[in-house]
Amino acid sequence: KVLHLVLLKMIRSGVYPTMITSFKEDNSDPTGLVIDWDGIKELIEFYIKNGVTGIFSVCQSSEMYNITVEERVELAKFVVNNVNNRVDVIACGTFPEQKTLKEKAEFIVKMKVESKVDAVVLIVNQIALEDESDNIWKENINVLIKEIENIEEEQNLEQIKLGLYECPAPYHRLLTPDLMNFIYQNERFIFIKETSCQISSIKQKLENKPDHFKFFNANAATYSESLSYGCDGFSGIAGNIYPQVHRKIFDLMNDDSDENKDLIKKLQRFLSVGERVLVHKYPASAKRYLKLNYGLSIKSFCRCNDSFKVEEWVEEDDIALHHLYDMLTNEYLPMELNNNN
C-alpha cells in the first residue's frame, strides 16, 4: 500500500491560497489593465514566506473568467516557474467558452503541458448544465476522462492528475456524497476544494476518502472543526492575506494539549471575524490589505469589477483593513507568528 501511494501523484496537505491577480494600468489592453508580473512575484514570495504548502492559481479569486485563455496558461506557468518546486501549484482548466467535452479535454491537456502545474482543476459547474442531473454529471466525467486519455495516448503523456472545485459561479453546484464516492474510485482525481460551508456536508463527503486524496475546506468559519474530521487543509480567500493563521491552526491540530486547543479557538475566532471584513469589495480588498499592511506594491485594480479599475477606495475601507491587521498582530497571534512582519 505504501509503494502504491508513492507511485500516485499526491499534493501536500496544508494551506492553498486562492491566488489573487495583480494588475497594472495599460491602455494597450482593451480592459485597460494587464497582469502585473512583478506584483505576482511579490505575492508568491509573500505566500511562501507565510507558510503555504501550495498555491491555487487561475481560480475565481484570480478573476479567471475575466482573463483570456492565453493569460490563464501564462499565469499558471509564471507561478510554477517562480515557485520552483517550493510548493505545489494547481490551476483551473474548464471554462464556459469550451462548448464540448472534447474542447475541455484539449484545454486541460494544454494547461498541464504548457504550465507544468501539479494538477489541473475541473470546475464542478462546468461538467453539466444547472438543470442536468447528477447522473449526467457522472456520464460527462466519464466521457471527459476518455477524451483526456485519448490525447495522452496520442501525445505519449503521463497521466494528468485532476482536482475539483465547487466554484460558486456561474452557478453553484455542490457534489453529493454519492458523487464524491464516484470520484474516489478514480485515482486520477487527487483533491477537491469544497465550498458547501456546512460541517454536516463535509463530514459526509469525508467518510470514504482514500489516503491519496486531499480534501480542502474553503470556509474560514468551519476550518478548524473540519480538520478534526479529517479535512486536509484550507483553500479560500483569507489565505491571501493571513495564510500564517491557517497554517498555525493546521500545525496545532497535531497536538491536542489544552493550551493548543485554546490557541486554536482564539485563532478560529479571528478567522470568523476577519472573513466579514475581507468579503467587502473582494478581491480588491485583499490586494489593498497587502499593500497597506505588508508593503506589497500591488494595486487594487480588478477586471472583475469595473469600479476598481481605478482605486476608488474610501477612508472607511482603509480603516477597516488597518483594524483587521491590528487585531491580527496585537490580539490574536502569538509573538512567534509576527516574526515575518
Side-chain angles (χ1 to χ4, degrees):
K1 183 178 180 181
V2 173
L3 177 60
H4 179 59
L5 290 177
V6 169
L7 293 174
L8 287 173
K9 169 63 182 178
M10 298 173 65
I11 60 173
R12 284 164 274 200
S13 302
V15 181
Y16 285 66
T18 51
M19 187 175 195
I20 51 179
T21 300
S22 179
F23 292 105
K24 62 183 180 180
E25 290 180 299
D26 189 325
N27 290 329
S28 66
D29 189 276
T31 67
L33 298 172
V34 297
I35 294 177
D36 170 22
W37 299 110
D38 290 336
I40 299 294
K41 277 186 181 180
E42 287 186 71
L43 279 168
I44 292 169
E45 296 309 316
F46 170 81
Y47 293 148
I48 294 175
K49 183 178 180 181
N50 284 280
V52 307
T53 44
I55 296 174
F56 190 171
S57 66
V58 191
C59 58
Q60 188 169 12
S61 291
S62 312
E63 302 171 66
M64 63 182 178
Y65 295 133
N66 304 94
I67 59 178
T68 66
V69 173
E70 293 76 17
E71 285 173 327
R72 290 169 187 158
V73 177
E74 191 176 6
L75 178 58
K77 182 178 180 180
F78 185 87
V79 175
V80 169
N81 289 342
N82 282 273
V83 160
N84 194 24
N85 296 316
R86 290 177 289 172
V87 298
D88 297 320
V89 181
I90 58 179
C92 285
T94 54
F95 295 95
E97 67 268 17
Q98 302 155 353
K99 301 305 181 185
T100 67
L101 294 171
K102 184 176 182 180
E103 288 178 356
K104 293 184 189 301
E106 289 171 345
F107 187 75
I108 288 166
V109 175
K110 176 183 175 70
M111 175 62 84
K112 172 61 180 178
V113 170
E114 295 187 14
S115 74
K116 304 295 191 298
V117 290
D118 293 289
V120 181
V121 185
L122 310 186
I123 301 172
V124 170
N125 63 42
Q126 292 302 301
I127 305 304
L129 299 176
E130 188 170 4
D131 60 354
E132 292 180 327
S133 69
D134 286 350
N135 284 334
I136 292 177
W137 193 91
K138 282 185 182 179
E139 292 171 7
N140 287 348
I141 282 288
N142 287 331
V143 172
L144 179 61
I145 295 301
K146 185 61 179 175
E147 293 284 4
I148 294 172
E149 288 174 346
N150 290 340
I151 301 173
E152 288 171 336
E153 185 176 352
E154 290 171 4
Q155 299 185 19
N156 194 28
L157 301 173
E158 293 183 0
Q159 186 186 75
I160 297 170
K161 294 304 180 182
L162 302 174
L164 294 162
Y165 171 25
E166 295 176 330
C167 182
Y171 79 94
H172 201 185
R173 190 179 195 115
L174 297 173
L175 297 183
T176 63
D178 177 64
L179 287 179
M180 286 307 306
N181 290 334
F182 164 73
I183 289 298
Y184 290 154
Q185 295 172 22
N186 190 326
E187 291 178 345
R188 183 186 288 269
F189 288 95
I190 61 174
F191 75 92
I192 184 173
K193 177 185 171 182
E194 206 274 355
T195 66
S196 72
C197 305
Q198 300 293 325
I199 278 293
S200 59
S201 176
I202 291 171
K203 286 174 64 177
Q204 288 180 318
K205 293 178 183 180
L206 282 167
E207 284 181 1
N208 297 311
K209 184 180 80 70
D211 291 340
H212 76 276
F213 193 94
K214 303 299 183 182
F215 195 106
F216 297 106
N217 186 359
N219 180 238
T222 58
Y223 174 48
S224 61
E225 187 177 1
S226 71
L227 291 175
S228 70
Y229 290 116
C231 198
D232 296 294
F234 180 79
S235 183
I237 64 173
N240 280 298
I241 63 173
Y242 32 75
Q244 70 271 42
V245 179
H246 302 90
R247 177 59 186 267
K248 186 65 176 179
I249 292 174
F250 179 81
D251 292 342
L252 289 172
M253 292 298 294
N254 295 320
D255 183 344
D256 62 355
S257 67
D258 289 341
E259 182 181 359
N260 280 352
K261 287 179 181 178
D262 289 342
L263 181 53
I264 288 170
K265 288 179 182 178
K266 186 177 182 182
L267 295 175
Q268 181 61 63
R269 282 197 299 270
F270 170 77
L271 292 182
S272 299
V273 172
E275 195 84 352
R276 292 195 288 271
V277 176
L278 181 60
V279 295
H280 179 61
K281 297 184 180 179
Y282 184 81
S285 58
K287 300 177 186 184
R288 185 68 172 172
Y289 180 96
L290 293 172
K291 180 180 178 66
L292 286 175
N293 298 311
Y294 286 94
L296 272 64
S297 66
I298 64 174
K299 305 292 186 181
S300 56
F301 301 139
C302 297
R303 281 190 188 168
C304 64
N305 189 326
D306 288 343
S307 67
F308 296 120
K309 285 184 180 177
V310 293
E311 292 191 295
E312 293 180 353
W313 214 262
V314 297
E315 184 179 359
E316 288 77 8
D317 295 325
D318 281 350
I319 291 173
L321 295 177
H322 275 307
H323 181 59
L324 180 60
Y325 181 75
D326 288 342
M327 288 171 58
L328 175 68
T329 56
N330 298 327
E331 298 179 38
Y332 285 92
L333 290 185
M335 290 300 295
E336 63 266 22
L337 281 184
N338 292 320
N339 291 337
N340 294 323
N341 301 338

